[in-house]
Amino acid sequence: MIVEQLSLVDFRNYAAAELSLAPGANVFVGRNGQGKTNLAEAIGYFATLGSHRVSQDAPMVRDGADAAFVRARLAHGQRRVQLEAQLNRAGSNKARVNGSPVRTAELPRYAQVVLFAPEDLQIVRGDPSARRRFADQLLIQRAPRLAGVLADYDRVLKQRNALLKSARARGIRGDGLSTLEVWDDKLVTLGTDVIRARLRLAAELTGPVARAYAAIAGADHRPQLQWALSVGGADPEEDDSPTESGVADAAAIEQLFRAALADRRSTELERGITLVGPHRDDLILRIRDLPVKGYASHGESWSVALSLRLASAELLRAESTLGDPIVILDDVFAELDADRRSRLAGIVADYEQVIVTAAVAEDVPLGLRARTVRVEAGTLHEDSDAAV
């Protein structure tokens, strides 16, 4: 799969831009703040329905505009598909495929992207939300229907929290809030679906992550992935050193979920917040049998972060009918030493399309400098200074 054409209107610092891309490596070079990452962000949106930099869509709409438009023509062999996303500053976003309106959640069916960025270090070193976000974005790419499941879970969670806050304000305690059971049922049904999908993902990532880590770091530090589940008694959001839950049978999750909600009912009413569910879970990463967070060196942490993305690309490549995922390296090489730069470039070089952003062209290994576009204040130029 490749992006043949990208069009932006009122997206970030681009009032309007048109860009043609080629198979193989495409490099965007420019000083910080010129708009390189905005191009990567726009392409990635089709695959994950989100940004790797912000959690809301509004910042992607140019100042003074009500909506941003991102259009891309994707090619897989002889097949072509035209995707369009309309990101509204207020209200629901809209989407089109080949000119026909579709639900926004349909877009990931047509686009698969693996994006590496400096922010990826937060997957390893940041709070649990960064790891949940990584997992959920990959889940959406592998099974687009989960975009709807995750959105529905978030909606039910917000409504349940609103009910808990209202009950706290009215002084309701214990079993005095019978209407909560309706939201419990919805939360458990949707949340169980999310938890099961995440557990399967961790199991399927383990082998590819180990191979990728050895390729990047040149050492076997036995990387491991395991979910700490709040339904199993862990509370990663409040414990800096969470213990993995011993949940082995995914079919038992729903029962555990209901029991955990019942056990925390009084505390939830006191605090006005839902304390059990996949929104409280964490993906525990280990090397050498130690948690990466707090124990790994800077280089080891980068190797784990890169391994997670490389493993994601491997999974998508193995099971996709659309060809290779588009690989985007957003300002990554500046963060790596020469050895890791070379190793990473060698691993991704054979993907159908690789898009690289860099402030300094010399940071990009020679094998990935096939075509260069210079970015200056939202204006795009070929290396020959001819506008694209």
Side-chain angles (χ1 to χ4, degrees):
M1 172 187 293
I2 67 169
V3 179
E4 289 186 328
Q5 192 77 23
L6 179 67
S7 173
L8 305 178
V9 175
D10 290 330
F11 184 87
R12 291 287 192 179
N13 68 326
Y14 293 95
E18 293 282 343
L19 176 64
S20 296
L21 294 101
N26 298 259
V27 181
F28 304 147
V29 176
R31 292 179 292 107
N32 292 336
Q34 302 303 299
K36 306 183 305 296
T37 292
N38 298 343
L39 299 171
E41 182 180 43
I43 295 170
Y45 185 88
F46 290 112
T48 62
L49 304 180
S51 164
H52 65 291
R53 297 189 289 176
V54 293
S55 58
Q56 303 295 323
D57 291 345
M60 291 184 280
V61 181
R62 193 169 68 98
D63 285 346
D66 294 325
F69 296 85
V70 182
R71 301 178 181 90
R73 185 173 74 242
L74 305 184
H76 169 47
Q78 299 302 311
R79 297 180 57 190
R80 301 290 186 276
V81 61
Q82 184 77 26
L83 305 182
E84 177 181 317
Q86 176 180 331
L87 312 183
N88 295 314
R89 190 176 294 278
S92 300
N93 295 333
K94 296 181 180 180
R96 291 179 179 271
V97 175
N98 292 331
S100 299
V102 298
R103 295 185 302 115
T104 305
E106 295 292 315
L107 292 176
R109 296 183 184 277
Y110 304 92
Q112 291 190 329
V113 178
V114 175
L115 191 153
F116 301 68
E119 290 84 356
D120 286 350
L121 200 58
Q122 290 304 306
I123 300 174
V124 175
R125 292 184 165 181
D127 61 37
S129 65
R131 289 176 285 282
R132 292 193 296 265
R133 188 178 181 187
F134 158 77
D136 292 346
Q137 288 187 338
L138 180 54
L139 284 173
I140 289 172
Q141 293 210 67
R142 298 185 73 203
R145 74 167 188 87
L146 285 170
V149 174
L150 288 161
D152 288 344
Y153 180 84
D154 287 342
R155 175 180 54 81
V156 169
L157 178 63
K158 289 177 182 177
Q159 291 171 323
R160 189 177 188 273
N161 283 342
L163 185 60
L164 287 169
K165 290 176 183 176
S166 174
R168 181 182 62 177
R170 289 180 286 149
I172 297 176
R173 295 289 183 270
D175 297 324
L177 192 62
S178 59
T179 53
L180 198 60
E181 294 178 3
V182 175
W183 295 109
D184 285 355
D185 288 341
K186 295 179 178 179
L187 194 77
V188 168
T189 298
L190 293 165
T192 297
D193 203 359
V194 173
I195 293 171
R196 287 175 175 172
R198 286 178 177 175
L199 289 173
R200 288 193 298 270
L201 178 65
E204 292 168 4
L205 275 175
T206 298
V209 165
R211 290 190 292 273
Y213 185 91
I216 288 291
D220 180 12
H221 290 160
R222 305 182 306 281
Q224 300 171 335
L225 301 83
Q226 187 174 5
W227 282 96
L229 303 178
S230 58
V231 301
D235 194 351
E237 285 289 344
E238 297 188 354
D239 185 350
D240 289 336
S241 302
T243 301
E244 294 90 342
S245 302
V247 179
D249 183 4
I253 292 172
E254 183 172 339
Q255 181 179 352
L256 285 171
F257 205 153
R258 293 187 184 281
L261 285 171
D263 184 60
R264 303 298 296 274
R265 176 65 59 89
S266 295
T267 305
E268 287 186 337
L269 285 167
E270 290 174 4
R271 296 180 57 179
I273 191 172
T274 301
L275 297 173
V276 176
H279 63 289
R280 306 281 296 186
D281 297 345
D282 192 8
L283 180 62
I284 307 301
L285 306 170
R286 292 179 180 272
I287 56 172
R288 303 190 310 275
D289 297 322
L290 293 171
V292 174
K293 184 178 179 180
Y295 288 89
S297 68
H298 182 76
E300 289 170 340
S301 296
W302 257 115
S303 293
V304 172
L306 291 169
S307 299
L308 290 170
R309 294 300 188 191
L310 290 169
S312 302
E314 182 179 327
L315 285 184
L316 293 172
R317 179 184 235 181
E319 62 194 18
S320 175
T321 61
L322 301 174
D324 288 352
I326 298 161
V327 173
I328 301 178
L329 308 175
D330 179 28
D331 211 17
V332 168
F333 288 112
E335 303 287 338
L336 305 178
D337 57 43
D339 187 45
R340 285 184 173 85
R341 286 182 187 179
S342 177
R343 290 174 183 269
L344 176 59
I347 293 170
V348 303
D350 68 336
Y351 278 80
E352 290 180 80
Q353 188 176 59
V354 181
I355 297 170
V356 181
T357 75
V360 179
E362 289 70 24
D363 286 345
V364 181
L366 284 173
L368 294 179
R369 293 192 215 167
R371 176 176 182 264
T372 300
V373 175
R374 299 198 174 274
V375 183
E376 298 176 2
T379 303
L380 310 177
H381 303 277
E382 290 278 10
D383 226 4
S384 61
D385 289 332
V388 288

